[in-house]
Amino acid sequence: MWQSSPPGSIYDYIRVASFSIGPDGLIEQWSRRAAGLFGVPADKAVGVDPVEAFMPAELRRDGHRRVGEILDGKEWTGLVPFRIPGGDPVHGLAEIYVMPSETGTGERAALCIVVDVRALRHIETDLAASQAIFGQSPFGFVLFGTDLTVIRANQRFATVFGGQAADHRGRTVDDYLSRPEADRLTATLERVLETGASVTDLQLVGTAPGDSDNRHWSMNLYRVHSGSGRPIGIAGLATDVTRRHIAAREAASARRNLALLNEASARIGNSLDLETTARELLDVAVPGFCDLASVDLYQGLLTGDDAPPGSWDSLRQESVGGSAELRRVALASAVSDALPATSAPDTPALGAVHRFSYNSPCAIALRTGQVEDVPGDGRGFVQSTLAVPMVAHDTVVGLVQFSRTKGSEPFGERDRALATELAARAAVCIDNARLYRREHERALILQRSLLPPGDPVAAGLDIACRYLPGNTATEVGGDWFDVIELPGHRTALVVGDVMGRGLRAAVAMGELRTAVRTLALLDLEPAEVLSALDEVARGLGTPGGGTSSSDGFGGGTQWPSRAAHKSREADLSEVYLATCVYAVYDPVTRRCTFANAGHLPPAVVEPGEPAMLLDVPPGMPLGVGGEPFEEVEVELKEGALLALYTDGLVESRDHPLDEGLDALRGALIEPERPLEDVCDHVLTTLDTRHGEDDIALLMARIRGLSADAVGDWRLPREPRSVGRARELARGQLLAWDLGELVDTTELLVSELVTNALRYGEGEIRLRLLRDRTLVCEVWDAGLVQPRRRRARDTDEGGRGLQLVGLLSVAWGSRRTPRGKTVWFELALPDGEPVAERTVEQLLSMF
């Protein structure tokens, strides 16, 4: 029976043994449990005095007395220290119950029941610990049986789910959790019971009785065994982690928001286009922040108005008709077949111009600059919408709407702050794009107004030109070219390059180009033009546009102030440096005079010859000063091709300048092709790496004036040369079939030749040129320039130049290497009658 005790018996937990003592006081029988308890087999225990074998020496006397009393028929129970023979003096403590007995012959004997006190103390300790855990633990403890019903729960568990701890006996997980969560916990319990593998941090979601908010629990499960190792259930330790879950969710939301802001910083504002910036905002927000979103910008902002209607002051003054006009520039959705992010049934389509009604949340958000909540769409699709004004520098530039659909978490305060930040970042980028667009348009207007027209016309030249800004985003640079008509059907060809890029370079280019045109009108020689232009360039970097000098002696020494020192340092940082080549072409002689200020040499292709670079001394760049400029005169053949260009055409980071110049000469192999085609061929053939630098290209094909378009005579210095000049002019005009101009030309030629005789020196030369206009030139060796003055009523003369100015289209004088030239220009007749001079015009000469 001892060996066949059923599972769950008390003997699974305590150590009990028995033995018997015969009439002689010696061990007569020794059980197996006794052998296990004392560690002595039966063959060594039977026939042994138990007092001598198992009791300490100091207790043996009393032990023999007790054994004698027992054999006399007295029962005894007590605690007896014992030792294992050959072991420590004291091995343990046994509780012994001794019952007197008789043998078959009637002799007295005793039966002893021995219990190991240590096992009992362990059981007491385990029970006390178990009671402490269940009764005093701040965590919820529950013990499930093998049938997965609750066997025991502590009071903490009952506090959460109601009632007393005993009330939960027999309940199942379905009494505490919803069906999905209960099924998940049941499956986990079955797995733990079957495998014995514990489960830690099982996350469960449910509601406590009387509470509608979800609570989160973390549960640890492990299988519980009996003393014999038999599974008897599953123990569960449940911890309420709702606060931790909320904190983790808020931390995750904060990390998500920071990630969104970081992504917004990287992705919003990469373009200076308003619509693109709006789309970049939605690319960041959907679906990371919301399910639907839209952006509306003020129409005035998109059309380039200087004062968009988005300032708060103007918004507060809007009429009750609603908001100002807006255009929907961007839409995004993370839900298939989703409605746009608005509650209104008449949702604006992408690109539509619309207004928000005055009392709508969107209009209020635009007026106040504050975030507004927009009601749901009424169809249960959109549950939460934020109308967020896009504010930049106290100016509302538009509105962005963020929406979340049913099933998503509604917007919270943290989400409102994030939406405001996203809208503000996009608003700053959009406002920057607006300012850039405005300044860019102004810069383009400036630059395009400074460049010559698309098809410049010059006497004796076919001209084609190209301009490509290095910065394709701004289209503004410092390269320029110009074609300037000069007296005598001559033409000035100019190409220059201001060092630097952007608007500053464009402004400097405009100033230099204006200066070139002004100097060209003085009809100076090319070297003189560049010398004067160098002075202008040096003056551009100083306050007031002039140079300053200090008088260190004579007038007293003036030490510069600290402010003046800083001003000079600033001036040095604003020095304008530029290169320029200036050429003057005379179609009569087909000769071209070049002067160069640090620019690349012109390229020339003559018929039947390879392209070559003209040997023009480069000189110093404009703005450096101190060095004179040299001139080179070249006679060009009929049909020759002349190319002036900037370094952006032939120089880049990937190849040296020499390779670029060789490539340019190689591209000019077919000069007889149409000039526009030659320009395109050069640009497409050369590896210009466009975008690194500005490119300006000016090409001219030489078409000299034919001999029959020129009349050239030399007249002696005598009075009859005036009449001879009139005869020559009349004959030439009639030969040109310009009889309508004969009278005017004779009169004006007579005046100029008379002045040359009266005020000039040396031989007189008369020349008539016919091209798009008629030009008459009178040359002499005198250096005194004619000056137009108003004659007095009593003067007999002095009205010649007034007459020239009145009857000609233009007139002037210029210096020549051996004197001066006075000229006038007349328009060729177009078949219409010449307008009669008014009385006022005629009287103005007197």
Side-chain angles (χ1 to χ4, degrees):
M1 291 299 293
W2 182 268
Q3 297 298 327
S4 61
S5 59
S9 170
I10 187 63
Y11 302 111
D12 290 343
Y13 303 98
I14 62 175
R15 302 180 69 185
V16 180
S18 65
F19 62 91
S20 64
I21 300 175
D24 56 359
L26 301 178
I27 297 173
E28 190 176 60
Q29 292 182 343
W30 189 254
S31 68
R32 293 179 179 176
R33 288 277 182 155
L37 177 62
F38 293 102
V40 179
D43 59 346
K44 293 184 178 181
V46 175
V48 176
D49 184 349
V51 175
E52 295 293 333
F54 300 107
M55 293 185 68
E58 66 272 13
L59 298 178
R60 290 172 185 172
R61 180 179 179 183
D62 185 60
H64 285 296
R65 182 176 59 81
R66 293 288 184 186
V67 171
E69 291 176 355
I70 292 169
L71 292 177
D72 287 339
K74 186 178 180 181
E75 293 186 1
W76 181 83
T77 302
L79 297 176
V80 179
F82 68 89
R83 68 181 181 84
I84 298 175
D88 296 335
V90 177
H91 178 72
L93 184 66
E95 183 177 270
I96 301 178
Y97 175 43
V98 183
M99 297 175 291
S101 64
E102 293 181 358
T103 63
T105 59
E107 295 179 301
R108 294 183 183 277
L111 177 64
C112 301
I113 306 297
V114 182
V115 178
D116 188 351
V117 176
R118 294 179 305 171
L120 292 176
R121 297 295 180 265
H122 288 164
I123 292 174
E124 291 176 355
T125 303
D126 290 345
L127 289 174
S130 175
Q131 184 61 35
I133 291 175
F134 269 79
Q136 302 174 21
S137 172
F139 307 109
F141 263 86
V142 61
L143 180 63
F144 295 96
T146 55
D147 59 352
L148 304 186
T149 60
V150 176
I151 298 176
R152 187 177 180 184
N154 68 348
Q155 189 57 42
R156 177 60 181 168
F157 184 87
T159 301
V160 175
F161 291 100
Q164 299 297 319
D167 299 337
H168 293 273
R169 185 182 301 274
R171 293 185 180 182
T172 65
V173 295
D174 294 307
D175 297 321
Y176 305 105
L177 300 173
S178 62
R179 171 59 62 184
E181 291 290 276
D183 291 344
R184 191 161 64 90
L185 179 56
T186 299
T188 305
L189 290 173
E190 291 174 346
R191 186 172 67 254
V192 172
L193 185 62
E194 179 182 355
T195 64
S198 61
V199 174
T200 59
D201 198 22
L202 175 64
Q203 297 292 319
L204 298 172
V205 180
T207 57
D211 191 358
S212 60
D213 295 333
N214 281 336
R215 303 190 69 81
H216 297 261
W217 294 284
S218 172
M219 200 164 191
N220 298 329
L221 300 172
Y222 56 94
R223 191 170 68 182
V224 180
H225 305 84
S226 66
S228 62
R230 179 179 58 87
I232 62 173
I234 305 102
L237 174 64
T239 306
D240 191 337
V241 293
T242 303
R243 292 184 178 179
R244 188 176 73 185
H245 180 80
I246 293 174
R249 184 176 60 188
E250 291 181 351
S253 176
R255 287 194 299 269
R256 182 200 64 186
N257 293 352
L258 289 175
L260 277 174
L261 290 177
N262 183 61
E263 185 180 6
S265 300
R267 298 180 59 182
I268 299 176
N270 293 323
S271 169
L272 289 173
D273 180 74
L274 301 177
E275 293 83 353
T276 301
T277 302
R279 289 193 297 269
E280 290 171 346
L281 168 61
L282 299 193
D283 290 341
V284 172
V286 180
F289 177 69
C290 62
D291 300 316
L292 309 169
S294 64
V295 176
D296 299 292
L297 297 180
Y298 277 110
Q299 180 69 357
L301 187 78
L302 298 169
T303 55
D305 293 348
D306 287 340
S311 62
W312 288 356
D313 291 338
S314 63
L315 285 171
R316 294 189 183 100
Q317 299 173 2
E318 287 181 355
S319 65
V320 295
S323 67
E325 286 188 343
L326 299 105
R327 185 192 305 172
R328 180 143 295 182
V329 297
L331 269 174
S333 171
V335 184
S336 59
D337 301 328
L339 298 175
T342 181
S343 61
D346 53 345
T347 300
L350 184 63
V353 178
H354 64 97
R355 296 175 182 265
F356 291 113
S357 59
Y358 185 79
N359 293 321
S360 66
C362 294
I364 295 174
L366 289 171
R367 287 197 300 272
T368 62
Q370 302 296 322
V371 180
E372 293 289 329
D373 293 315
V374 181
D377 58 6
R379 285 164 284 186
F381 182 77
V382 175
Q383 71 159 340
S384 181
T385 298
L386 296 177
V388 186
M390 306 177 72
V391 183
H393 309 113
D394 292 337
T395 299
V396 179
V397 299
L399 184 80
V400 56
Q401 297 183 65
F402 302 107
S403 298
R404 289 179 179 174
T405 58
K406 292 294 184 180
S408 299
E409 186 176 354
F411 291 112
E413 287 302 318
R414 192 187 300 273
D415 295 323
R416 293 170 68 93
L418 176 62
T420 303
E421 181 66 21
L422 288 175
R425 294 195 179 197
V428 171
C429 295
I430 287 175
D431 193 53
N432 290 340
R434 176 184 68 85
L435 296 174
Y436 165 78
R437 176 182 290 184
R438 184 183 67 185
E439 297 304 319
H440 180 223
E441 290 176 352
R442 293 177 177 177
L444 283 179
I445 293 173
L446 169 65
Q447 183 161 33
R448 290 170 181 170
S449 66
L450 294 176
L451 292 175
D455 298 315
V457 178
L461 292 174
D462 295 334
I463 296 177
C465 50
R466 295 289 187 274
Y467 175 76
L468 299 177
N471 189 338
T472 56
T474 63
E475 299 183 13
V476 177
D479 290 13
W480 91 92
F481 62 90
D482 209 346
V483 179
I484 307 171
E485 294 187 54
L486 300 177
H489 287 316
R490 294 171 305 135
T491 303
L493 304 175
V494 188
V495 169
D497 182 2
V498 175
M499 297 181 185
R501 295 186 183 181
L503 184 59
R504 178 180 177 274
V507 171
M509 175 270 287
E511 293 176 316
L512 292 177
R513 177 182 179 272
T514 302
V516 170
R517 280 192 160 263
T518 302
L519 295 170
L521 293 178
L522 299 178
D523 207 358
L524 303 177
E525 295 298 322
E528 295 177 324
V529 170
L530 293 186
S531 296
L533 195 62
D534 179 61
E535 294 291 335
V536 173
R538 281 191 289 165
L540 291 179
T542 59
T547 58
S548 60
S549 61
S550 60
D551 186 6
F553 301 95
T557 303
Q558 295 181 350
W559 297 99
S561 65
R562 179 178 299 180
H565 178 68
K566 290 184 177 179
S567 177
R568 280 197 295 272
E569 288 183 350
D571 295 342
L572 290 176
S573 65
E574 294 293 328
V575 169
Y576 286 83
L577 295 178
T579 63
C580 179
V581 61
Y582 185 90
V584 175
Y585 171 69
D586 187 343
V588 178
T589 61
R590 294 198 311 277
R591 301 186 70 84
C592 191
T593 305
F594 297 91
N596 192 353
H599 204 79
L600 295 174
V604 174
V605 186
E606 294 186 340
E609 300 291 337
M612 64 177 179
L613 300 178
L614 294 180
D615 186 13
V616 180
M620 299 298 293
L622 301 176
V624 175
E627 294 293 333
F629 297 98
E630 301 181 35
E631 293 182 357
V632 173
E633 188 176 64
V634 178
E635 183 176 351
L636 301 174
K637 295 183 179 179
E638 183 74 15
L641 192 63
L642 175 64
L644 305 179
Y645 51 91
T646 57
D647 56 359
L649 181 68
V650 295
E651 187 178 22
S652 73
R653 300 174 182 175
D654 298 328
H655 56 75
L657 178 61
D658 291 342
E659 293 183 7
L661 294 174
D662 291 340
L664 173 62
R665 289 195 296 267
L668 298 173
I669 57 176
E670 299 182 24
E672 68 280 356
R673 295 174 57 183
L675 203 53
E676 295 290 338
D677 294 345
V678 175
C679 279
D680 294 336
H681 177 71
V682 170
L683 292 177
T684 55
T685 301
L686 268 64
D687 184 14
T688 61
R689 297 299 175 98
H690 177 49
E692 294 182 0
D693 197 2
D694 306 331
I695 296 175
L697 175 63
L698 176 61
M699 303 193 75
R701 178 170 283 123
I702 304 303
R703 305 292 188 193
L705 292 181
S706 60
D708 58 0
V710 179
D712 194 352
W713 306 275
R714 296 183 183 274
L715 302 173
R717 190 171 187 79
E718 55 187 31
R720 61 179 182 178
S721 293
V722 176
R724 177 59 179 165
R726 288 198 298 265
E727 292 176 2
L728 294 172
R730 172 182 289 273
Q732 187 64 67
L733 291 180
L734 293 177
W736 287 340
D737 197 18
L738 296 177
E740 297 179 20
L741 301 180
V742 169
D743 293 341
T744 302
T745 303
E746 282 188 326
L747 176 60
L748 299 185
V749 166
S750 177
E751 289 294 334
L752 295 187
V753 173
T754 300
N755 284 344
L757 288 173
R758 180 175 300 177
Y759 305 109
E761 298 177 5
E763 187 180 34
I764 299 173
R765 182 179 178 186
L766 173 64
R767 189 168 74 169
L768 295 179
L769 307 175
R770 186 197 63 176
D771 191 68
R772 292 176 293 110
T773 60
L774 175 67
V775 174
C776 176
E777 299 174 332
V778 175
W779 300 6
D780 69 80
L783 298 178
V784 178
Q785 297 292 321
R787 181 174 61 88
R788 182 176 178 179
R789 62 184 180 85
R790 181 174 294 277
R792 292 177 299 210
D793 294 343
T794 58
D795 291 342
E796 295 183 359
R799 299 179 179 85
L801 293 181
Q802 288 184 341
L803 190 65
V804 172
L806 179 64
L807 298 180
S808 65
V809 174
W811 78 278
S813 66
R814 67 177 185 274
R815 290 180 299 168
T816 64
R818 290 178 294 275
K820 67 177 181 296
T821 300
V822 184
W823 57 272
F824 66 85
E825 183 176 353
L826 297 176
L828 298 181
D830 53 5
E832 296 183 0
V834 179
E836 296 290 339
R837 301 291 178 181
T838 64
V839 175
E840 289 77 8
Q841 290 175 330
L842 294 175
L843 290 177
S844 66
M845 295 184 294
F846 299 92

